[in-house]
Amino acid sequence: AQTVTQSQPEMSVQEAETVTLSCTYDTSESDYYLFWYKQPPSRQMILVIRQEAYKQQNATENRFSVNFQKAAKSFSLKISDSQLGDAAMYFCAYIGNSGYALNFGKGTSLLVTP
Amino acid sequence: EAGVAQSPRYKIIEKRQSVAFWCNPISGHATLYWYQQILGQGPKLLIQFQNNGVVDDSQLPKDRFSAERLKGVDSTLKIQPAKLEDSAVYLCASSPLPVPVYEQYFGPGTRLTVT
């Protein structure tokens, strides 16, 4: 079974600074997808960024980028120029190419301070 | 484009009572998911529909949980009878076709408290 581990229950960053959220996963599959989702307080969960395992290039979306280390089974999220609106729970998720369901980590609560 | 709608947003019931949640996915989305998110954890898939057929319900506690998606559009999730450990947020999500190729869009969730 695939497992997703987020070892940082809480993180804090000052506005305009950079923060990195960690995620590791365990799988025996060679083809899979990884995601970071953002869940603001009392609001919908939204997709931040996704990475296909077969792609060597790290995904980027504006201020959000990932560091995907396939051999180490590591998938960290870097948020640059942090904004107050980035405060939320961040979930790392995995799905194998033959799977149906996203496997989520327990999440990291990100606090952004002025 | 309207998002995924869920109702009610909050529900408080006593244990052994029944409860039902409703989800209306984004128009045209064939795939619908129900997740259970217990406080302090990530969402866990309960059931996945493709149109009105069940794709995966391996983690659905079938002795008390049931779900249906009649006509391949709206869906209801029912718990009967509820237990204290069912207290959680129930999330509905939809996508045009199954992940991972397509993005899932989540609703706001229903927060269930069982006392």
Side-chain angles (χ1 to χ4, degrees), chain B residues 4-7 20-24 31-37 43-49 56 59-60 65-69 73-78 89-94 104 106 109-110:
Chain B
V4 177
Q6 290 187 247
S7 68
F21 312 128
W22 173 82
C23 172
N24 181 233
T31 310
L32 186 145
Y33 312 80
W34 282 103
Y35 289 88
Q36 179 192 58
Q37 186 177 16
K44 181 187 79 171
L45 181 74
L46 292 175
I47 189 167
Q48 177 183 342
F49 292 94
D56 182 11
Q59 299 195 79
L60 187 74
F65 286 64
S66 64
E68 61 181 9
R69 191 183 184 199
V73 182
D74 293 6
S75 177
T76 56
L77 177 69
K78 297 179 181 178
V89 176
Y90 290 85
L91 298 169
C92 180
S94 71
Q104 285 187 60
F106 285 83
T110 296

Side-chain angles (χ1 to χ4, degrees), chain B residues 85-108:
Chain B
E85 58 261 37
D86 298 332
S87 294
V89 176
Y90 290 85
L91 298 169
C92 180
S94 71
S95 63
L97 284 171
V99 293
V101 176
Y102 292 89
E103 179 181 346
Q104 285 187 60
Y105 295 84
F106 285 83

Side-chain angles (χ1 to χ4, degrees), chain A residues 32-33 35 37 39 42-47 50 89 91 95-107, chain B residues 4 9-10 33 35 37 40-45 48 55-56 59 91 99-108:
Chain A
Y32 51 87
Y33 296 74
F35 305 81
Y37 279 86
Q39 189 176 40
S42 301
R43 293 180 61 188
Q44 273 98 318
M45 186 175 298
I46 58 173
L47 178 65
R50 59 180 268 164
M89 282 291 290
F91 292 96
I95 188 168
N97 202 37
S98 59
Y100 296 111
L102 287 170
N103 289 305
F104 286 87
K106 290 189 174 183
Chain B
V4 177
R9 292 295 310 277
Y10 304 91
Y33 312 80
Y35 289 88
Q37 186 177 16
Q41 298 182 21
K44 181 187 79 171
L45 181 74
Q48 177 183 342
V55 173
D56 182 11
Q59 299 195 79
L91 298 169
V99 293
V101 176
Y102 292 89
E103 179 181 346
Q104 285 187 60
Y105 295 84
F106 285 83

